[in-house]
Every structure is written in C-alpha cells, then in structure tokens.
Amino acid sequence: MRISIISRNGSYLGLLMANTILGSALPMTIIMAGLAGLMLAPSTALATLPASLSALAGFLAAAPFSLLMGKHGRKIGFAVGGGCAVYGSLIGVWALFTGSFLLLCIAHLALGAALACYQYFRFAAAETVSADWQPVAISLILTSGLIAAFVGPQIFIWAKDALAPIPLAGAYLALAALSLIGLIPLALTKLPVPTGGPPQSLKQRFASLSVLKRKPVRLAVGLGAVSQGVMVFLMVPTPLAMIGCGFSEAVAGDVIRWHVVAMFAPSFFTGFLIKRFGVQPIAIIGLGMLIVSSIGALSGLSLVHFYGSLVLLGIGWNFGFVGATTMLANTVVESEKAVVQGANDTVIALVSTLSAFAAGAIIAGFGWAVLAAVSLVLLLVASVVFIKESRQIA
C-alpha cells in the first residue's frame, strides 16, 4: 500500500478535516481556563480549578463515549462531543457576563467532556486503513493539531474582546461557533455503523476488561497515561507560572501555542519512524525528551527555559502518545475495541485529572521548581519500568 491511498480515502479525509476544526478547542480551552479562572476565582489557589475540572470531566466521559460509539458508531459519538463543546462555550459566556466562578467550572466540565470525545478520532482514523498503515494514519490524524495550534490561539486573540467590556467572553462565543462548524465535515463523512456493539451487561463489560491483563496492553495503557499525565502536569500551570514571573498574557499564550505546535508537528513523521524502527524505540526516545523537558523546567525561570521545556514536552508527548496508541491498536481485536479503548482513555483521563489537580496545588503551595522536580522523578521511574517490561515482550 502506498501513502497515496490515505490521501484518496474519503472517510479518513473527512475525519481529518473535522478533527482539525474541532481540535482547535484544545489550545483555546487551555488558555481560557487559566485566564478566566484567575479572573473569577475567589482566591488564586482556585485559579486552576476550571482546568482541573476539565480533566475530571474527561475521566468521567471517556468510557461512556467509547461505549456510545461502539453501539451507535463514531459519527454519533463525535456529534454528541461537539454538542458538549457548544453547550460548554455558551455557559462560559454566561459565566463571564455574570461573574460566576461556579458557571465557569460547569462550562469547563462540558468542554472537558468534548475534548475527551475528540481523543477517539485517532482510533477512528486507524480503522480506515489496513493494520500495517495504522501508525501512519494515527500519526497523521494528529497533524490536525498543528493547524489547531495556530488557529486556536489566533481565534482567541481576535475574539477575546469582541464582547467588550466583558473580557474573554467573545473567545467562548467564538469557540461555540467553531464547534458547530466542525460538525459539518463530520456530517458529510461516511463512517461504518457497528453491527454488534459492545457487551451490554455489566458482567460482560467487566469480563472484557480481562484483556488488560495482557502485558502489551498494560504497557500501552501505561505509556499513554504517563505521556499525557506529565504533559498536563507541566502544561496546565504554565500560564500562571509565567504571569507570576512577570510575563504578559500574550507571551504566556505564545508559549502554549508553540507547545501545542511541538505536540503535533512531529506527527508528519512519527508514524513513519514507528513503521521503520518499531514502536518501542520511538516510545523510549519520547520518554527521554520528557525527562529533558523536566530538567529544563527545573533549570530556570527565563523565557528561554519556558519555551524550551514546553517545546520538548510537546515532542516527547507526541512520540509517547502515538506509540501508545499504535501499541494498543495492534493488540486488541474488533470485539474488544469499545471496552478496551474506553478503559484506556479512562485511565489516561484519570491520570490527567490527578495531574491537573496536583499541579494546581503544587504551583500554589511550592512553586514551579518543585513541580518540575516531581515530574522528573516520576518520569525516571516510569522510564525504567517501561524499558524493563518492553524487553520482556520484545
């Protein structure tokens, strides 16, 4: 099979377009959660709560979305996710007009659920190609995040004062419009409707989770959780840490922009590297980059340190996350997908939630350097375990 067959795959291209538009919510949500939280929170210690609740919603919504897609198809699931984004964005506008921190938290719960739903685009992409091209399909679907990295922050800059004198309200309204637009290519894309669906009884679903006992599956889930968790742990408090160091909101937003670019730009070649060298070497390189990122964050508080550590954080996440997704896609059969993918993304979302809450507490109580040191220790332990376990299944 040649790579050109992917470019002629209508289902894949439709998913790519929808993911590009809907995925622009990610950098916008990161920026808005921190800034709106800082503006409306009753104390600075609660400023990261909207971002943390967004991660919590992802944890709660991951498995239900997977089961919904397993029963009714990917298209229905993604449409529900887009609806959550529209709802959350409009609640965010309401929160800013009324000055309600509670409503802001509700808004980011809905937005977090939507972002959890969008994570399944990578699995949907893998289902449109043959097994040997799955790493490439997964990797390339993530390139849509590169466009989102530029489009999302730029839309935020253009729209944040559109409803002046209420700051940031225009950005939430723009996110609602963007989410509606993203549903258009999805509606025009033909995706298969599952014939059997996931196990219906609770007993059957728990029985299906026995696949998690297989070492390759456990290793894939663990790699994805570590990559995502460390990325969230360092990324979420970055705007607050930078503002605390005297940098402007615009500069903090630009650091997040280039972090998101680094998350997705490698996707143009990550899949080909995995296809050429294997998934485990690329995953180990990714873990190494995450370690260097933590060392960079620990080394100083200059603009160079923030840019450098966040860029390396993005690249390391890409190698680890694409590697984990590829490993999981290669180790489960069709009948296991809905339950196992749901369990995988639930674990990842749980780790993300814990990371977001922990990051907020540590940055408020101990500072950026302690945050970086904790991430470094966790990564060193995880890397040793991954290398040891991967050698046993090689």
Side-chain angles (χ1 to χ4, degrees):
M1 182 189 294
R2 299 190 308 272
I3 186 62
S4 60
I5 198 168
I6 294 181
S7 66
R8 297 195 301 268
N9 188 322
S11 297
Y12 184 85
L13 292 178
L15 289 171
L16 182 63
M17 185 176 298
N19 191 39
T20 300
I21 299 172
L22 294 173
S24 297
L26 174 61
M28 292 182 70
T29 302
I30 294 169
I31 297 169
M32 294 187 301
L35 298 181
L38 191 61
M39 186 171 67
L40 298 182
S43 71
T44 55
L46 295 175
T48 60
L49 183 60
S52 301
L53 289 175
S54 182
L56 175 62
F59 161 63
L60 297 174
F65 269 121
S66 185
L67 295 174
L68 175 66
M69 293 179 185
K71 185 175 182 180
H72 298 290
R74 299 288 188 188
K75 183 181 289 191
I76 295 296
F78 291 137
V80 173
C84 288
V86 173
Y87 172 78
S89 301
L90 295 178
I91 293 295
V93 175
W94 186 15
L96 288 164
F97 268 90
T98 59
S100 171
F101 184 64
L102 175 61
L103 285 176
L104 182 68
C105 290
I106 294 172
H108 281 274
L109 281 169
L111 289 169
L115 294 176
C117 174
Y118 300 161
Q119 291 294 320
Y120 289 104
F121 272 106
R122 70 194 196 277
F123 291 119
E127 293 164 3
T128 65
V129 299
S130 61
D132 60 327
W133 279 93
Q134 284 182 349
V136 177
I138 293 167
S139 182
L140 290 179
I141 199 73
L142 292 180
T143 61
S144 60
L146 179 61
I147 300 175
F150 287 100
V151 171
Q154 194 60 51
I155 291 176
F156 167 77
I157 292 171
W158 287 338
K160 64 185 180 70
D161 297 321
L163 297 180
I166 308 299
L168 304 179
Y172 280 93
L173 187 61
L175 181 55
L178 192 70
S179 301
L180 287 172
I181 293 170
L183 294 176
I184 296 174
L186 183 65
L188 300 176
T189 301
K190 292 183 178 180
L191 295 175
V193 177
T195 54
Q200 294 303 305
S201 72
L202 187 62
K203 184 177 180 180
Q204 287 176 307
R205 289 174 185 172
F206 275 113
S208 298
L209 290 176
S210 63
V211 70
L212 296 176
K213 295 179 181 178
R214 298 205 301 257
K215 184 172 289 187
V217 176
R218 293 203 315 267
L219 204 58
V221 174
L223 175 62
V226 168
S227 301
Q228 181 76 8
V230 170
M231 188 273 292
V232 170
F233 190 66
L234 287 175
M235 176 193 67
V236 166
T238 294
L240 299 181
M242 293 188 67
I243 290 172
C245 291
F247 297 105
S248 68
E249 295 177 358
V251 173
D254 194 57
V255 168
I256 294 297
R257 180 207 302 265
W258 285 105
H259 163 67
V260 178
V261 169
M263 287 174 64
F264 298 111
S267 295
F268 284 107
F269 54 82
T270 306
F272 294 103
L273 290 175
I274 291 174
K275 198 171 186 298
R276 172 66 177 84
F277 298 105
V279 63
Q280 292 173 2
I282 301 304
I284 291 171
I285 292 173
L287 289 171
M289 288 184 177
L290 292 174
I291 289 172
V292 176
S293 169
S294 297
I295 294 174
L298 186 60
S299 300
L301 296 172
S302 72
L303 192 57
V304 172
H305 286 98
F306 279 113
Y307 269 113
S309 62
L310 267 292
V311 167
L312 285 171
L313 181 69
I315 298 172
W317 171 87
N318 182 278
F319 279 31
F321 200 69
V322 174
T325 303
T326 302
M327 290 172 65
L328 194 67
N330 290 338
T331 54
V332 297
V333 299
E334 184 66 32
S335 61
E336 300 169 334
K337 283 183 179 179
V339 173
V340 174
Q341 289 174 4
N344 173 73
D345 278 26
T346 297
V347 170
I348 290 175
L350 173 61
V351 173
S352 297
T353 302
L354 296 175
S355 297
F357 277 98
I362 291 174
I363 198 73
F366 301 98
W368 178 255
V370 173
L371 188 84
V374 171
S375 68
L376 178 59
V377 172
L378 292 174
L379 281 167
L380 289 172
V381 174
S383 298
V384 171
V385 172
F386 181 82
I387 293 171
K388 179 181 176 181
E389 294 291 314
S390 61
R391 284 177 178 173
Q392 294 179 4
I393 63 174

